[in-house]
Amino acid sequence: MSNLPTSVEFHEEGPREGFQMEPKTYPLADRAALIDALSLSGLRQIQVASFVSASAVPQMADTSELFAAIIKRPGTRYTALWLNDNGFERARACEQVDLDGKLMFYTTEPFSQRNNNCSVAEMRERQLGWLDRYIALGIPVEKAYVITAFGCNLGGAVPLSVLTDQVRWLVDACADRRVPLPAVYLADTMGWANPEEIKRRVGAVRAIVPEAQIGLHLHDTRGVGGANVYAALQMGVRLFDSSVAGLGGCPFAGHTHGGAAGNICTEDMVFMCQELGIETGIDLEALIEASLLAERVIGRTLSGHVMHSGSLKGFRAGQRMQEICGAVR
């Protein structure tokens, strides 16, 4: 099946997932400036930070202050991550947060315990509570994430049946409460996916929940992130999480080398889509400026490609000028 979408949507996660991976905490003003620069590119959603334990993730200790410091622009949503009741209540109390109703499910016991201090079954039951809470508060459920949907460094390979069982359970839970499920995201949290497995799992989940959009949260841990995005595009997927300059990853993933590559790089993927004729709604040049700012803030060379090479816009403009001048002669 090859069915490239006419448009795609990238949800930016660098300010949250990128900075939580860093061994130190960066000045609030620098992080706010990066978020404001990302806003200028036309991104429709930016995940600013997370409301989590400051002892576990000290880089996110000032999340409320960070939200207060950013300049919100019309047309962009500014979201946050929470993993428990306390985090959710903190997010609700922060006026700048655009609440997005989301659910989370795990496929392996070791990572569920490490990331959420509960079993896979306990996490399922917690999600029923979140469903009820969202309904009571009038917050629409927007998406559900299946974490480590392709494989797990801690728990090993994830059979397709484990993924599909989670999705079926999720669909039944939403149906019991008559709650629509607009999107199901498959998260390659630890970089186990490959292009053929992307197609296989997207197809299997789509067969279970054809009315929902399929989204992907991909990491470029082992260098195939771009190939996985292209395979997803061929399947008609149009929702992706990504991170400016390739920032990010998971601090609890147990990678052999702490410098493993992070999320798929927003500007690289935007470039690829635009070259394929797929609309992104993003100003690539502005996004490149934001990625270069991220590099200055972090203080080291980051893994993005287009941020260092530039887009083809200038080259094409020069070539076009030569063609015009040649025609005039």
Side-chain angles (χ1 to χ4, degrees), residues 10-19 21-22 34 37-38 41 43 218-221 241-249 259-271 282 284-309:
F10 289 96
H11 293 170
E12 175 60 47
E13 301 209 331
R16 191 275 303 176
E17 190 151 352
F19 283 90
M21 283 290 290
E22 295 299 315
L34 174 59
L38 288 166
S41 72
L43 285 158
L218 300 175
H219 288 212
D220 196 29
T221 314
D241 291 342
S242 60
S243 289
V244 61
L247 288 169
N263 296 48
I264 53 171
C265 175
T266 308
E267 65 272 14
D268 288 357
M269 298 305 102
V270 168
F271 171 78
I282 292 173
L284 180 57
E285 302 305 320
L287 187 56
I288 290 172
E289 289 300 315
S291 66
L292 293 171
L293 173 59
E295 188 169 78
R296 292 194 296 273
V297 171
I298 295 294
R300 67 172 186 275
T301 301
L302 298 179
S303 63
H305 291 41
V306 176
M307 65 184 288
H308 297 124
S309 65

Side-chain angles (χ1 to χ4, degrees), residues 51-52 80-92 99-106 116 118 122-144 169-170 173-174 177 179:
F51 290 93
V52 292
L81 176 69
W82 56 82
L83 298 177
N84 54 35
D85 293 350
N86 180 59
F88 177 64
E89 290 305 323
R90 289 170 59 199
R92 285 187 65 205
L99 293 173
D100 57 332
K102 48 185 171 276
L103 305 170
M104 296 173 59
F105 299 85
Y106 291 94
N116 250 91
C118 67
E122 288 170 334
M123 192 64 178
R124 278 185 174 184
E125 292 306 311
R126 290 183 184 183
Q127 299 317 293
L128 294 180
W130 284 111
L131 274 171
D132 292 337
R133 177 172 292 191
Y134 291 147
I135 292 169
L137 294 172
I139 300 173
V141 175
E142 296 185 17
K143 67 191 83 169
W169 186 93
L170 166 65
C174 289
R177 287 160 172 74
V179 174

Side-chain angles (χ1 to χ4, degrees), residues 15-16 22 45 65 75 109 130 209 233 253 255 264 273 290 302 326:
R16 191 275 303 176
E22 295 299 315
Q45 181 168 310
E65 292 82 359
E109 294 293 343
W130 284 111
V209 55
L233 292 171
H255 292 301
I264 53 171
C273 287
L302 298 179

